[in-house]
Amino acid sequence: MHTEIDINIDNVMSKLIKPAGYKALLDLWQTEQGIKLIKDFFQQNLSTELRLRRVTAPLFVLKGLGINDDLNGVERAVTFPIKDLGDKQAEVVHSLAKWKRLTLAEYGIEPGYGIYTDMNAIRADEELDNLHSLYVDQWDWEMTISQADRNLEFLKKVVRRIYSTMLRTEFLTCETYPQLKPFLPSEIHFVHSEELLQMYPGMTAKEREDEICKKYGAVFIMGIGGKLSDGKKHDGRSPDYDDWTTPNSDGFLGLNGDILIWYPVLEHSIELSSMGIRVDKEALLKQLKIEGQEQRENLYFHKKLLDGTLPLSIGGGIGQSRLCMVMLQKAHVGEIQASIWPEEQRRECQENGMNLI
């Protein structure tokens, strides 16, 4: 008879992908060198491509200001009391989606320029598998834009610039380690989540992502956060950063999306970045109403957005460990970063050639 702990372990193990005959192409020391190579090169190129200045970011913020990212609205933030603030609660960030926009205003960043930073987070509710860890590290970036930039064409231009940076990083990595062979396509394909639903009816959102990525190799799926024609969301988005309700020139709703690739090592699609044009006042009020979150209008961040203090912007996050995992052709994110894993998963990984740090 299964105990509750046994059942939880079984659930964790059922999510683990174990590629047949997998063998890491780089040893531990080469892997560490490769991680540094990729991180140094990618962030410098991203900075140049999008005209971003590096800033220092917080690991935690005060609870109750509306600054922390709410992700899908159900994940619990790691919290702790601050003695010298009368035990006020601080939250470890989930991401810096809203903090970055406050920073653009504080630094007076002009349109066409932006910021990037190293974001480190702890997501205690994450379901642990090949791609998901308790520890999240990503490049969070945000760019000030003008009203004229709030359109689908500008969004696609920025996506192509980010993807070209990924291609250059892949080229450098494969030149440095010839045992690695490039697999990313030269172009990224664009599709709206509603189009994807019509193309693959009867499939789950994840199955649709796998199908489209298998077909094109690299895809930007747009319009994530709102309900589709089947009454379901492709994926969840907090209502107060990405704009997923403004009509775009393709006749669909949404000015945001995810960059995904087909990853041959795992034979699955992998999301490398979530990004989008951010809400303006109109979109914020609309999305808060849709989600029944009108009470957020009284929070610190939301008041500043509604009173016009914050600039219009576009931004997103790019997974650091996940990008390194893909570039170094590893089968588990734990081969890239140090984290905590169920002992049974760690043992299974070891038996299948995945040496977790």
Side-chain angles (χ1 to χ4, degrees), residues 213-263:
C213 286
K214 190 186 301 182
K215 181 176 181 179
Y216 290 104
V219 182
F220 186 69
I221 301 177
M222 300 174 287
I224 296 178
K227 289 183 179 179
L228 304 177
S229 59
D230 63 353
K232 301 176 182 177
K233 299 178 181 181
H234 182 86
D235 199 359
R237 282 295 184 277
S238 183
D240 43 20
Y241 54 97
D242 279 358
D243 185 337
W244 39 263
T245 54
T246 295
N248 64 48
S249 57
D250 281 355
F252 297 107
L253 297 179
L255 294 171
N256 72 331
D258 291 342
I259 296 176
L260 297 99
I261 63 162
W262 179 253
Y263 189 43

Side-chain angles (χ1 to χ4, degrees), residues 6-207:
D6 291 333
I7 293 170
N8 288 340
I9 289 175
D10 288 345
N11 288 339
V12 168
M13 295 315 302
S14 68
K15 299 184 185 76
L16 185 66
I17 301 170
K18 296 174 279 190
Y22 171 74
K23 188 179 188 307
L25 298 176
L26 304 181
D27 63 27
L28 289 174
W29 181 237
Q30 289 174 316
T31 299
E32 293 287 5
Q33 291 177 310
I35 291 169
K36 185 178 188 305
L37 175 77
I38 292 165
K39 288 189 175 184
D40 289 348
F41 181 84
F42 183 84
Q43 68 180 342
Q44 184 59 54
N45 275 258
L46 182 70
S47 172
T48 302
E49 190 71 50
L50 297 183
R51 297 193 289 189
L52 307 175
R53 306 157 186 174
R54 191 190 182 282
V55 297
T56 301
L59 176 61
F60 39 81
V61 295
L62 282 175
K63 186 176 182 179
L65 297 180
I67 297 176
N68 204 356
D69 181 357
D70 296 293
L71 300 178
N72 292 314
V74 297
E75 294 87 350
R76 299 171 299 169
V78 175
T79 62
F80 60 92
I82 305 172
K83 179 181 178 182
D84 277 3
L85 293 182
D87 279 351
K88 280 187 177 179
Q89 292 288 309
E91 294 180 334
V92 175
V93 297
H94 277 142
S95 86
L96 298 169
K98 289 176 277 189
W99 176 89
K100 291 176 297 181
R101 198 163 175 184
L102 292 166
T103 303
L104 288 179
E106 183 179 350
Y107 286 17
I109 305 294
E110 60 271 30
Y113 294 85
I115 59 174
Y116 81 94
T117 191
D118 289 294
M119 193 285 300
N120 297 287
I122 302 171
R123 297 184 182 173
D125 290 336
E126 202 70 84
E127 296 183 356
L128 308 181
D129 56 24
N130 301 68
L131 302 177
H132 299 91
S133 169
L134 298 174
Y135 171 60
V136 178
D137 56 341
Q138 64 185 36
W139 291 286
D140 258 354
W141 64 274
E142 198 83 10
M143 180 198 305
T144 302
I145 62 174
S146 67
Q147 181 63 43
D149 294 326
R150 298 193 80 255
N151 59 69
L152 185 60
E153 289 68 34
F154 183 80
L155 174 65
K156 288 182 176 181
K157 181 172 71 172
V158 173
V159 170
R160 289 190 180 101
R161 287 180 172 178
I162 293 172
Y163 185 67
S164 70
T165 304
M166 293 178 178
L167 287 177
R168 289 196 296 274
T169 305
E170 182 189 49
F171 177 80
L172 173 68
T173 307
C174 292
E175 284 288 293
T176 305
Y177 303 104
Q179 61 269 49
L180 303 175
K181 304 302 178 186
F183 61 88
L184 292 176
S186 59
E187 302 287 339
I188 187 167
H189 179 77
F190 293 86
V191 65
H192 193 277
S193 54
E194 179 62 38
E195 292 179 288
L196 201 56
L197 174 62
Q198 301 305 320
M199 291 168 64
Y200 304 110
M203 289 187 179
T204 66
K206 182 58 185 170
E207 289 169 343

